[in-house]
Amino acid sequence: MSRLLSLINIRLRRDLSACRGIARLPLRSIILGKRWKDTADTVIIGGGCVGVSLAYHLAKAGMKDVVLLEKSELTAGSTWHAAGLTTYYHPGINLKQVHYDSIKLYETLEAETGQAVGFHNPGSVRIASTAARVDEMKYQMTRTHWNVTEQYFIGPEKVHELFPLLNMDKVLAGLYTPGDGHIDPYSLTMALAAGARMYGAQIYNPAPVSGLKPTSDGKWDVETPHGTIRANRIVNSAGFWAREVGEMIGFKHPTIPVHHQYVVTATVPEVKALKKELAVIRDLEGSYYLRQERDGLLFGPYEKMEKMVLQDSWVTDGVPPGFGKELFESDLDRIMEHVEMAMEMVPVLKNADIINIVSGPITYTPDLLPMVGPHHGVRNYWTAIGFGYGVIHAGGIGKFLSHWIMNGEPPYDLIECDPNRYGKWTDVPFMCAKARESYGFNNVVGYPKEERFEGRPTSRMSGVYELLKGKGSMGFHAGWEQPHWFYKPGDDIGYKPSFRRTNWFGPVGRECKLVMEKVGVIDLTPFGKFTVKGKDSHKLLDRLFANTMPKVGHTNISHMLTPTGRVFAEVTITQLTPGEFLLITGSGSELHDLRWIETEAVNGGYDVDISNVTDDIGVLGIAGPNSREVLQKLTNEDMSDAGFKFLHCKSIQLAGLPVRAIRISYTGELGWELYIDQKNMAPVYQAIMEAGKDEGIDNFGTYAMASLRLEKGFRGWGAEMNCDTNPLEAGLDYFIKLNKPGDFIGKAALQEIKAKGLKRKLSYITVDTDDIDPEGNETIWCNGKVVGNTTSGAYSYTAQQSLAFAYLPVELSSVGQKVEVELLGRKYPAMVIQEPLVLTEPTRTRLQKKKLSTTKDIT
């Protein structure tokens, strides 16, 4: 008995001790079920599938202090009610890798974590029922063959085999992707959360973020009702709350919730009788997806933009408190047009009973792509927001961002998702107009050189926009309107997209001839423009760029590299005065490049002043053999070859107005870029056009410039070079000064790459085509095998020949090597040639002078 009493006393003492321990715990630990962390390496805000995936990947990669804060419960928001579609397919090139990484993770996640994910992969078929759709599928096939994803262009018989319940009357072909399917979003998120915890991440909920305060050393104080966490970095992955989180630090992220509905049926006898699961189908003309859901069907339409519904009140008033796992009221009438088309394509739907209509919010950005990566304007603030298709993006984006955070550079190029592609011009009316358009255009034919016109123009208009609008076909570049090509009487005008040569082909040839034989003017205002000055300006730029810095009054082409030696940016640099530099980059790279420059300036402690002058300065390009004569009429400055040399810069008076002129032209012809205050741009343009009448002056657009630059062998950033390529394989050796004293970023990596030797090389090829030209990302074949891909392509009007740049194995890159380029399902003969096809004006001038000198010596 005494022994029994002794054991009881020991147990009582243990229980009392445990109770006292609980009493000593803070209330937050009791509410959260775990101890609170006051510091973290990374704090992720938002517990949808994307945020939880990032926590999983960071923890698995070895980051010790990963904290995820969820305001209510995991999956609240858009994740829990998603239809859960998964597909390898994406019309873009880079996002194919995101989709691939997601599916490969989902295939193994259950075995890794022990948590079921409900993953089905019966494959999917995109249905073509028009000739344009057939062309689109052939177009996408050539963009897939050089990627890792399996994809097949199939006939009606195979389509019917994969989905035997289809009405085949309108089916012409299909695009079949094995391995596609669907997954349960809730189970997926819980499996990712289990994995994140398994590798050491902390997930706190309910833990709403109430404040974000930056510290002087670049860290963040993340405030919650439970306390504050000091974080090295924060990641906004808050779904449709992302805009509110951004507003805590002064950002108005262009994200907006849209109403998306899908319909679930009861058991359909014909479905129940099937021996295997139906492939997911996407009826592109009907604008809906449809998949099997147990023994019934689930289908979700995308209404036209005039019928779809935005939850725009959340943009101005915020998300209603407490909203998380609620839905909107369904509206079957709004989608009835698509329901009827689905019934025609899948007749068993006519007799199916609807048991549920889900109408919930999903988040859109203006261009339907998410905003992923570090954000310009503040230190160590990252975003993973704006996911219209979060389930298929979650796994791949988690892996992508984890690599970037852990290694200091992205694993591959994904600039189309850069959060810095938007700016102050992305206001609420623009965002709403583009979100409507993007939703309504979800399944339109994806043509090359696609333009969408809602919400345009924005507040970003060059000083000559009013003079040029209506005179040509405009393109949209980072908020700016820029002419693609110009109209003349008798032209077939307007935007008429095609997979083949279309209405702009002839007029662009006319503009190329203008520049080659006379003189043309182009609006280049969308260029990104920065000034860098101060005591350490030269030192900073020497660290950032692989080229040496130009002397005062000189200009050069320079490249920023990543630590592993890949090309992060191409920039034109001019030293205006001692220690004051003007940096020019592409329109789509403005804040992408500026963020990289400013981050290095801060991290390195450089004493510099960096200013973004993109909106303040307009740019006109003037090019052609008569360009010198035109400018000379308007200035007292000596514009002769001796007086104004190639790659030199001068401040001049043009028509009595101040202009900074740089002798350079991306056409490869004699030309200048003229940098002008926006308010003076129109009068300078008008003076040039008036002065050039006798010289045959006229406008030209970006399509002509693209053709002219390609025939001159000029590489383009984002095509021939990007974060997937190193400058040596891209043929940029001339601009890379490995022997310069400064230790520029990526130098050591490049030296190692050079020592090991290249495996592939950028090659210059001609293609024997008919009514179609390469544009980039087409598959290259040799002896029946895929050997490479094009990077950009165009028709050379000067040489009457289709051209392309292409990456080929070194052993296939010799001049004379014959290959084939796949275009719309056909393989066209191609051959590697010596570049360039057309010599640049400076080279022609130099050779002419040399020839004259040789002739004089002989005589």
Side-chain angles (χ1 to χ4, degrees), residues 515 518-524 619-632 634 639 654 661-667 669-674 688-689 691-692 697-698 700:
V515 174
K518 296 178 181 177
V519 55
V521 176
I522 184 172
D523 182 9
L524 298 173
V619 187
L620 292 173
I622 180 169
N626 298 340
S627 57
R628 177 180 284 121
E629 285 78 5
V630 174
L631 293 180
Q632 193 65 77
L634 299 171
M639 304 299 289
L654 205 64
I662 301 175
R663 189 177 158 193
I664 190 173
S665 175
Y666 291 102
T667 67
E669 293 305 301
L670 175 66
W672 282 261
E673 287 177 3
L674 309 174
I688 290 172
M689 299 306 284
I697 199 166
D698 211 338
F700 72 102

mmCIF file of all heavy atoms in Angstrom, residues 515 518-524 619-632 634 639 654 661-667 669-674 688-689 691-692 697-698 700:
data_model
loop_
_atom_site.group_PDB
_atom_site.id
_atom_site.type_symbol
_atom_site.label_atom_id
_atom_site.label_comp_id
_atom_site.label_asym_id
_atom_site.label_seq_id
_atom_site.Cartn_x
_atom_site.Cartn_y
_atom_site.Cartn_z
ATOM 1 N N VAL A 515 15.320 53.126 -93.650
ATOM 2 C CA VAL A 515 16.488 53.296 -92.780
ATOM 3 C C VAL A 515 17.771 52.943 -93.524
ATOM 4 O O VAL A 515 18.811 53.590 -93.333
ATOM 5 C CB VAL A 515 16.339 52.445 -91.502
ATOM 6 C CG1 VAL A 515 17.610 52.497 -90.661
ATOM 7 C CG2 VAL A 515 15.139 52.916 -90.684
ATOM 8 N N LYS A 518 17.616 55.948 -96.672
ATOM 9 C CA LYS A 518 17.338 57.372 -96.442
ATOM 10 C C LYS A 518 17.533 57.714 -94.968
ATOM 11 O O LYS A 518 18.630 57.687 -94.465
ATOM 12 C CB LYS A 518 15.929 57.709 -96.928
ATOM 13 C CG LYS A 518 15.755 57.528 -98.436
ATOM 14 C CD LYS A 518 14.315 57.826 -98.870
ATOM 15 C CE LYS A 518 14.146 57.611 -100.371
ATOM 16 N NZ LYS A 518 12.734 57.838 -100.792
ATOM 17 N N VAL A 519 16.452 58.009 -94.274
ATOM 18 C CA VAL A 519 16.561 58.333 -92.850
ATOM 19 C C VAL A 519 15.202 58.130 -92.199
ATOM 20 O O VAL A 519 14.162 58.502 -92.749
ATOM 21 C CB VAL A 519 17.064 59.782 -92.635
ATOM 22 C CG1 VAL A 519 16.200 60.804 -93.364
ATOM 23 C CG2 VAL A 519 17.150 60.113 -91.151
ATOM 24 N N GLY A 520 15.224 57.505 -91.030
ATOM 25 C CA GLY A 520 13.999 57.246 -90.290
ATOM 26 C C GLY A 520 14.117 57.700 -88.853
ATOM 27 O O GLY A 520 15.222 57.836 -88.305
ATOM 28 N N VAL A 521 12.959 57.919 -88.221
ATOM 29 C CA VAL A 521 12.894 58.349 -86.819
ATOM 30 C C VAL A 521 12.013 57.378 -86.047
ATOM 31 O O VAL A 521 10.957 56.956 -86.535
ATOM 32 C CB VAL A 521 12.321 59.780 -86.711
ATOM 33 C CG1 VAL A 521 12.161 60.190 -85.251
ATOM 34 C CG2 VAL A 521 13.216 60.774 -87.441
ATOM 35 N N ILE A 522 12.446 57.020 -84.845
ATOM 36 C CA ILE A 522 11.717 56.068 -84.009
ATOM 37 C C ILE A 522 11.630 56.601 -82.585
ATOM 38 O O ILE A 522 12.563 57.211 -82.074
ATOM 39 C CB ILE A 522 12.392 54.674 -84.040
ATOM 40 C CG1 ILE A 522 11.572 53.649 -83.243
ATOM 41 C CG2 ILE A 522 13.831 54.747 -83.542
ATOM 42 C CD1 ILE A 522 12.067 52.217 -83.393
ATOM 43 N N ASP A 523 10.491 56.373 -81.943
ATOM 44 C CA ASP A 523 10.292 56.756 -80.543
ATOM 45 C C ASP A 523 10.824 55.639 -79.651
ATOM 46 O O ASP A 523 10.299 54.530 -79.645
ATOM 47 C CB ASP A 523 8.806 56.988 -80.277
ATOM 48 C CG ASP A 523 8.520 57.440 -78.852
ATOM 49 O OD1 ASP A 523 9.482 57.732 -78.113
ATOM 50 O OD2 ASP A 523 7.337 57.503 -78.478
ATOM 51 N N LEU A 524 11.869 55.952 -78.890
ATOM 52 C CA LEU A 524 12.502 54.972 -78.003
ATOM 53 C C LEU A 524 12.329 55.345 -76.534
ATOM 54 O O LEU A 524 13.064 54.878 -75.666
ATOM 55 C CB LEU A 524 13.995 54.863 -78.331
ATOM 56 C CG LEU A 524 14.336 54.367 -79.743
ATOM 57 C CD1 LEU A 524 15.836 54.466 -79.992
ATOM 58 C CD2 LEU A 524 13.853 52.934 -79.952
ATOM 59 N N VAL A 619 13.089 59.840 -75.638
ATOM 60 C CA VAL A 619 14.191 59.418 -76.511
ATOM 61 C C VAL A 619 13.688 59.282 -77.944
ATOM 62 O O VAL A 619 12.681 58.623 -78.201
ATOM 63 C CB VAL A 619 14.796 58.064 -76.064
ATOM 64 C CG1 VAL A 619 16.046 57.750 -76.876
ATOM 65 C CG2 VAL A 619 15.123 58.056 -74.586
ATOM 66 N N LEU A 620 14.399 59.900 -78.851
ATOM 67 C CA LEU A 620 14.168 59.705 -80.278
ATOM 68 C C LEU A 620 15.396 59.076 -80.888
ATOM 69 O O LEU A 620 16.532 59.482 -80.591
ATOM 70 C CB LEU A 620 13.892 61.046 -80.982
ATOM 71 C CG LEU A 620 12.579 61.745 -80.638
ATOM 72 C CD1 LEU A 620 12.545 63.124 -81.291
ATOM 73 C CD2 LEU A 620 11.376 60.912 -81.073
ATOM 74 N N GLY A 621 15.189 58.070 -81.717
ATOM 75 C CA GLY A 621 16.278 57.512 -82.498
ATOM 76 C C GLY A 621 16.168 58.009 -83.928
ATOM 77 O O GLY A 621 15.074 58.050 -84.492
ATOM 78 N N ILE A 622 17.282 58.410 -84.503
ATOM 79 C CA ILE A 622 17.305 58.808 -85.912
ATOM 80 C C ILE A 622 18.393 58.001 -86.587
ATOM 81 O O ILE A 622 19.517 57.919 -86.074
ATOM 82 C CB ILE A 622 17.530 60.326 -86.080
ATOM 83 C CG1 ILE A 622 17.551 60.707 -87.574
ATOM 84 C CG2 ILE A 622 18.763 60.815 -85.350
ATOM 85 C CD1 ILE A 622 17.497 62.206 -87.821
ATOM 86 N N ALA A 623 18.074 57.337 -87.693
ATOM 87 C CA ALA A 623 19.018 56.398 -88.301
ATOM 88 C C ALA A 623 18.868 56.399 -89.811
ATOM 89 O O ALA A 623 17.779 56.603 -90.352
ATOM 90 C CB ALA A 623 18.784 54.992 -87.753
ATOM 91 N N GLY A 624 19.971 56.139 -90.474
ATOM 92 C CA GLY A 624 19.995 56.063 -91.928
ATOM 93 C C GLY A 624 21.119 56.912 -92.499
ATOM 94 O O GLY A 624 21.657 57.792 -91.821
ATOM 95 N N PRO A 625 21.491 56.676 -93.738
ATOM 96 C CA PRO A 625 22.629 57.384 -94.338
ATOM 97 C C PRO A 625 22.427 58.903 -94.407
ATOM 98 O O PRO A 625 23.411 59.655 -94.469
ATOM 99 C CB PRO A 625 22.741 56.784 -95.741
ATOM 100 C CG PRO A 625 21.402 56.149 -96.007
ATOM 101 C CD PRO A 625 20.904 55.693 -94.675
ATOM 102 N N ASN A 626 21.192 59.380 -94.383
ATOM 103 C CA ASN A 626 20.937 60.818 -94.442
ATOM 104 C C ASN A 626 20.727 61.452 -93.072
ATOM 105 O O ASN A 626 20.399 62.638 -92.976
ATOM 106 C CB ASN A 626 19.705 61.107 -95.309
ATOM 107 C CG ASN A 626 19.890 60.671 -96.746
ATOM 108 O OD1 ASN A 626 21.015 60.494 -97.207
ATOM 109 N ND2 ASN A 626 18.790 60.491 -97.458
ATOM 110 N N SER A 627 20.881 60.674 -91.994
ATOM 111 C CA SER A 627 20.590 61.205 -90.658
ATOM 112 C C SER A 627 21.527 62.341 -90.276
ATOM 113 O O SER A 627 21.104 63.314 -89.627
ATOM 114 C CB SER A 627 20.672 60.088 -89.616
ATOM 115 O OG SER A 627 21.943 59.455 -89.640
ATOM 116 N N ARG A 628 22.790 62.242 -90.676
ATOM 117 C CA ARG A 628 23.756 63.298 -90.341
ATOM 118 C C ARG A 628 23.348 64.627 -90.975
ATOM 119 O O ARG A 628 23.376 65.682 -90.315
ATOM 120 C CB ARG A 628 25.154 62.890 -90.779
ATOM 121 C CG ARG A 628 26.212 63.955 -90.537
ATOM 122 C CD ARG A 628 27.600 63.515 -90.987
ATOM 123 N NE ARG A 628 28.184 62.574 -90.043
ATOM 124 C CZ ARG A 628 28.570 61.340 -90.352
ATOM 125 N NH1 ARG A 628 28.394 60.881 -91.590
ATOM 126 N NH2 ARG A 628 29.093 60.565 -89.434
ATOM 127 N N GLU A 629 22.956 64.586 -92.238
ATOM 128 C CA GLU A 629 22.578 65.821 -92.934
ATOM 129 C C GLU A 629 21.367 66.479 -92.276
ATOM 130 O O GLU A 629 21.301 67.711 -92.158
ATOM 131 C CB GLU A 629 22.264 65.523 -94.403
ATOM 132 C CG GLU A 629 23.485 65.258 -95.270
ATOM 133 C CD GLU A 629 24.056 63.854 -95.084
ATOM 134 O OE1 GLU A 629 23.437 63.057 -94.338
ATOM 135 O OE2 GLU A 629 25.111 63.549 -95.678
ATOM 136 N N VAL A 630 20.414 65.656 -91.841
ATOM 137 C CA VAL A 630 19.215 66.208 -91.204
ATOM 138 C C VAL A 630 19.585 66.911 -89.900
ATOM 139 O O VAL A 630 19.180 68.054 -89.654
ATOM 140 C CB VAL A 630 18.179 65.103 -90.953
ATOM 141 C CG1 VAL A 630 16.995 65.653 -90.155
ATOM 142 C CG2 VAL A 630 17.702 64.501 -92.264
ATOM 143 N N LEU A 631 20.362 66.250 -89.068
ATOM 144 C CA LEU A 631 20.719 66.847 -87.774
ATOM 145 C C LEU A 631 21.600 68.079 -87.951
ATOM 146 O O LEU A 631 21.474 69.057 -87.196
ATOM 147 C CB LEU A 631 21.432 65.812 -86.894
ATOM 148 C CG LEU A 631 20.575 64.627 -86.414
ATOM 149 C CD1 LEU A 631 21.409 63.682 -85.557
ATOM 150 C CD2 LEU A 631 19.351 65.100 -85.632
ATOM 151 N N GLN A 632 22.471 68.036 -88.938
ATOM 152 C CA GLN A 632 23.384 69.159 -89.129
ATOM 153 C C GLN A 632 22.629 70.446 -89.462
ATOM 154 O O GLN A 632 23.077 71.546 -89.134
ATOM 155 C CB GLN A 632 24.398 68.841 -90.226
ATOM 156 C CG GLN A 632 25.578 69.798 -90.285
ATOM 157 C CD GLN A 632 26.456 69.710 -89.024
ATOM 158 O OE1 GLN A 632 27.237 68.773 -88.870
ATOM 159 N NE2 GLN A 632 26.308 70.672 -88.119
ATOM 160 N N LEU A 634 20.090 71.440 -88.013
ATOM 161 C CA LEU A 634 19.435 71.940 -86.799
ATOM 162 C C LEU A 634 20.406 72.301 -85.685
ATOM 163 O O LEU A 634 19.971 72.712 -84.601
ATOM 164 C CB LEU A 634 18.446 70.884 -86.280
ATOM 165 C CG LEU A 634 17.308 70.492 -87.231
ATOM 166 C CD1 LEU A 634 16.550 69.297 -86.686
ATOM 167 C CD2 LEU A 634 16.360 71.674 -87.429
ATOM 168 N N MET A 639 28.660 67.441 -86.755
ATOM 169 C CA MET A 639 28.103 66.087 -86.734
ATOM 170 C C MET A 639 28.856 65.144 -87.671
ATOM 171 O O MET A 639 28.417 64.012 -87.881
ATOM 172 C CB MET A 639 26.629 66.127 -87.130
ATOM 173 C CG MET A 639 25.766 67.048 -86.275
ATOM 174 S SD MET A 639 25.730 66.580 -84.516
ATOM 175 C CE MET A 639 24.749 65.094 -84.561
ATOM 176 N N LEU A 654 19.621 71.480 -80.389
ATOM 177 C CA LEU A 654 18.977 71.004 -81.603
ATOM 178 C C LEU A 654 17.691 71.804 -81.770
ATOM 179 O O LEU A 654 16.801 71.754 -80.903
ATOM 180 C CB LEU A 654 18.682 69.508 -81.487
ATOM 181 C CG LEU A 654 18.568 68.709 -82.784
ATOM 182 C CD1 LEU A 654 19.882 68.708 -83.536
ATOM 183 C CD2 LEU A 654 18.130 67.278 -82.486
ATOM 184 N N ALA A 661 22.976 63.918 -77.137
ATOM 185 C CA ALA A 661 23.039 63.030 -78.301
ATOM 186 C C ALA A 661 24.120 61.986 -78.110
ATOM 187 O O ALA A 661 25.250 62.311 -77.718
ATOM 188 C CB ALA A 661 23.309 63.841 -79.564
ATOM 189 N N ILE A 662 23.775 60.735 -78.378
ATOM 190 C CA ILE A 662 24.733 59.632 -78.344
ATOM 191 C C ILE A 662 24.762 59.011 -79.730
ATOM 192 O O ILE A 662 23.706 58.656 -80.278
ATOM 193 C CB ILE A 662 24.351 58.570 -77.306
ATOM 194 C CG1 ILE A 662 24.270 59.187 -75.905
ATOM 195 C CG2 ILE A 662 25.357 57.422 -77.321
ATOM 196 C CD1 ILE A 662 23.782 58.222 -74.840
ATOM 197 N N ARG A 663 25.951 58.891 -80.313
ATOM 198 C CA ARG A 663 26.038 58.289 -81.641
ATOM 199 C C ARG A 663 26.017 56.772 -81.507
ATOM 200 O O ARG A 663 27.035 56.123 -81.253
ATOM 201 C CB ARG A 663 27.284 58.751 -82.389
ATOM 202 C CG ARG A 663 27.231 58.283 -83.842
ATOM 203 C CD ARG A 663 28.364 58.746 -84.697
ATOM 204 N NE ARG A 663 28.501 57.859 -85.837
ATOM 205 C CZ ARG A 663 29.538 57.836 -86.652
ATOM 206 N NH1 ARG A 663 30.547 58.678 -86.472
ATOM 207 N NH2 ARG A 663 29.572 56.979 -87.652
ATOM 208 N N ILE A 664 24.825 56.252 -81.652
ATOM 209 C CA ILE A 664 24.594 54.809 -81.557
ATOM 210 C C ILE A 664 23.239 54.534 -82.183
ATOM 211 O O ILE A 664 22.369 55.406 -82.190
ATOM 212 C CB ILE A 664 24.605 54.342 -80.071
ATOM 213 C CG1 ILE A 664 24.620 52.808 -79.970
ATOM 214 C CG2 ILE A 664 23.432 54.922 -79.303
ATOM 215 C CD1 ILE A 664 24.804 52.307 -78.536
ATOM 216 N N SER A 665 23.071 53.369 -82.758
ATOM 217 C CA SER A 665 21.760 52.993 -83.287
ATOM 218 C C SER A 665 21.638 51.484 -83.265
ATOM 219 O O SER A 665 22.525 50.770 -83.746
ATOM 220 C CB SER A 665 21.563 53.503 -84.714
ATOM 221 O OG SER A 665 20.338 53.013 -85.236
ATOM 222 N N TYR A 666 20.526 51.001 -82.705
ATOM 223 C CA TYR A 666 20.299 49.556 -82.647
ATOM 224 C C TYR A 666 19.869 48.991 -83.992
ATOM 225 O O TYR A 666 19.643 47.791 -84.115
ATOM 226 C CB TYR A 666 19.290 49.232 -81.551
ATOM 227 C CG TYR A 666 19.872 49.479 -80.173
ATOM 228 C CD1 TYR A 666 19.550 50.616 -79.445
ATOM 229 C CD2 TYR A 666 20.803 48.597 -79.630
ATOM 230 C CE1 TYR A 666 20.121 50.850 -78.200
ATOM 231 C CE2 TYR A 666 21.381 48.816 -78.396
ATOM 232 C CZ TYR A 666 21.025 49.951 -77.681
ATOM 233 O OH TYR A 666 21.602 50.188 -76.448
ATOM 234 N N THR A 667 19.771 49.847 -84.996
ATOM 235 C CA THR A 667 19.550 49.359 -86.361
ATOM 236 C C THR A 667 20.849 48.932 -87.014
ATOM 237 O O THR A 667 20.837 48.271 -88.054
ATOM 238 C CB THR A 667 18.913 50.449 -87.233
ATOM 239 O OG1 THR A 667 19.856 51.523 -87.404
ATOM 240 C CG2 THR A 667 17.637 50.990 -86.609
ATOM 241 N N GLU A 669 22.785 51.039 -88.381
ATOM 242 C CA GLU A 669 23.069 52.051 -89.400
ATOM 243 C C GLU A 669 23.577 53.334 -88.737
ATOM 244 O O GLU A 669 23.551 53.469 -87.510
ATOM 245 C CB GLU A 669 21.808 52.329 -90.215
ATOM 246 C CG GLU A 669 21.358 51.151 -91.063
ATOM 247 C CD GLU A 669 22.452 50.660 -91.989
ATOM 248 O OE1 GLU A 669 22.943 51.446 -92.818
ATOM 249 O OE2 GLU A 669 22.839 49.477 -91.876
ATOM 250 N N LEU A 670 24.051 54.257 -89.544
ATOM 251 C CA LEU A 670 24.456 55.561 -89.029
ATOM 252 C C LEU A 670 23.284 56.147 -88.264
ATOM 253 O O LEU A 670 22.170 56.237 -88.786
ATOM 254 C CB LEU A 670 24.853 56.488 -90.172
ATOM 255 C CG LEU A 670 25.183 57.942 -89.785
ATOM 256 C CD1 LEU A 670 26.450 57.991 -88.931
ATOM 257 C CD2 LEU A 670 25.333 58.797 -91.031
ATOM 258 N N GLY A 671 23.514 56.544 -87.024
ATOM 259 C CA GLY A 671 22.389 57.062 -86.265
ATOM 260 C C GLY A 671 22.780 57.605 -84.913
ATOM 261 O O GLY A 671 23.917 57.438 -84.437
ATOM 262 N N TRP A 672 21.801 58.259 -84.306
ATOM 263 C CA TRP A 672 21.965 58.855 -82.989
ATOM 264 C C TRP A 672 20.728 58.561 -82.146
ATOM 265 O O TRP A 672 19.613 58.433 -82.673
ATOM 266 C CB TRP A 672 22.112 60.379 -83.089
ATOM 267 C CG TRP A 672 23.465 60.855 -83.510
ATOM 268 C CD1 TRP A 672 24.465 61.314 -82.698
ATOM 269 C CD2 TRP A 672 23.968 60.943 -84.849
ATOM 270 N NE1 TRP A 672 25.564 61.678 -83.455
ATOM 271 C CE2 TRP A 672 25.288 61.468 -84.774
ATOM 272 C CE3 TRP A 672 23.442 60.626 -86.103
ATOM 273 C CZ2 TRP A 672 26.070 61.680 -85.896
ATOM 274 C CZ3 TRP A 672 24.220 60.834 -87.225
ATOM 275 C CH2 TRP A 672 25.527 61.354 -87.116
ATOM 276 N N GLU A 673 20.955 58.481 -80.847
ATOM 277 C CA GLU A 673 19.858 58.522 -79.897
ATOM 278 C C GLU A 673 19.868 59.901 -79.251
ATOM 279 O O GLU A 673 20.912 60.367 -78.788
ATOM 280 C CB GLU A 673 19.997 57.424 -78.838
ATOM 281 C CG GLU A 673 19.697 56.038 -79.390
ATOM 282 C CD GLU A 673 19.910 54.938 -78.371
ATOM 283 O OE1 GLU A 673 20.248 55.265 -77.198
ATOM 284 O OE2 GLU A 673 19.759 53.764 -78.724
ATOM 285 N N LEU A 674 18.723 60.534 -79.225
ATOM 286 C CA LEU A 674 18.592 61.889 -78.714
ATOM 287 C C LEU A 674 17.762 61.866 -77.437
ATOM 288 O O LEU A 674 16.587 61.461 -77.452
ATOM 289 C CB LEU A 674 17.909 62.769 -79.759
ATOM 290 C CG LEU A 674 18.513 62.735 -81.179
ATOM 291 C CD1 LEU A 674 17.668 63.529 -82.145
ATOM 292 C CD2 LEU A 674 19.954 63.219 -81.157
ATOM 293 N N ILE A 688 12.872 67.984 -86.566
ATOM 294 C CA ILE A 688 13.615 66.963 -87.313
ATOM 295 C C ILE A 688 12.836 66.550 -88.560
ATOM 296 O O ILE A 688 13.393 66.441 -89.669
ATOM 297 C CB ILE A 688 13.895 65.738 -86.415
ATOM 298 C CG1 ILE A 688 14.925 66.096 -85.333
ATOM 299 C CG2 ILE A 688 14.392 64.557 -87.241
ATOM 300 C CD1 ILE A 688 15.111 64.998 -84.284
ATOM 301 N N MET A 689 11.532 66.292 -88.399
ATOM 302 C CA MET A 689 10.734 65.857 -89.539
ATOM 303 C C MET A 689 10.661 66.948 -90.614
ATOM 304 O O MET A 689 10.676 66.642 -91.812
ATOM 305 C CB MET A 689 9.329 65.465 -89.074
ATOM 306 C CG MET A 689 9.290 64.303 -88.075
ATOM 307 S SD MET A 689 10.136 62.799 -88.635
ATOM 308 C CE MET A 689 8.931 62.169 -89.799
ATOM 309 N N ALA A 691 13.005 69.312 -91.101
ATOM 310 C CA ALA A 691 14.348 69.466 -91.675
ATOM 311 C C ALA A 691 14.689 68.326 -92.627
ATOM 312 O O ALA A 691 15.511 68.494 -93.545
ATOM 313 C CB ALA A 691 15.389 69.539 -90.558
ATOM 314 N N GLY A 692 14.075 67.158 -92.435
ATOM 315 C CA GLY A 692 14.439 65.989 -93.226
ATOM 316 C C GLY A 692 13.583 65.730 -94.440
ATOM 317 O O GLY A 692 13.718 64.669 -95.077
ATOM 318 N N ILE A 697 12.808 61.765 -95.100
ATOM 319 C CA ILE A 697 12.619 61.283 -93.729
ATOM 320 C C ILE A 697 11.205 60.758 -93.516
ATOM 321 O O ILE A 697 10.239 61.222 -94.127
ATOM 322 C CB ILE A 697 12.939 62.406 -92.717
ATOM 323 C CG1 ILE A 697 13.203 61.827 -91.323
ATOM 324 C CG2 ILE A 697 11.809 63.443 -92.668
ATOM 325 C CD1 ILE A 697 13.836 62.821 -90.366
ATOM 326 N N ASP A 698 11.078 59.757 -92.614
ATOM 327 C CA ASP A 698 9.774 59.220 -92.240
ATOM 328 C C ASP A 698 9.923 58.454 -90.930
ATOM 329 O O ASP A 698 11.048 58.252 -90.428
ATOM 330 C CB ASP A 698 9.223 58.318 -93.341
ATOM 331 C CG ASP A 698 7.688 58.360 -93.397
ATOM 332 O OD1 ASP A 698 7.075 58.715 -92.372
ATOM 333 O OD2 ASP A 698 7.130 58.029 -94.459
ATOM 334 N N PHE A 700 9.665 55.083 -88.432
ATOM 335 C CA PHE A 700 9.717 53.619 -88.461
ATOM 336 C C PHE A 700 9.480 53.101 -87.047
ATOM 337 O O PHE A 700 9.583 53.837 -86.064
ATOM 338 C CB PHE A 700 11.026 53.098 -89.063
ATOM 339 C CG PHE A 700 12.271 53.263 -88.214
ATOM 340 C CD1 PHE A 700 12.805 52.189 -87.503
ATOM 341 C CD2 PHE A 700 12.937 54.487 -88.159
ATOM 342 C CE1 PHE A 700 13.968 52.325 -86.748
ATOM 343 C CE2 PHE A 700 14.105 54.631 -87.414
ATOM 344 C CZ PHE A 700 14.623 53.552 -86.701
#
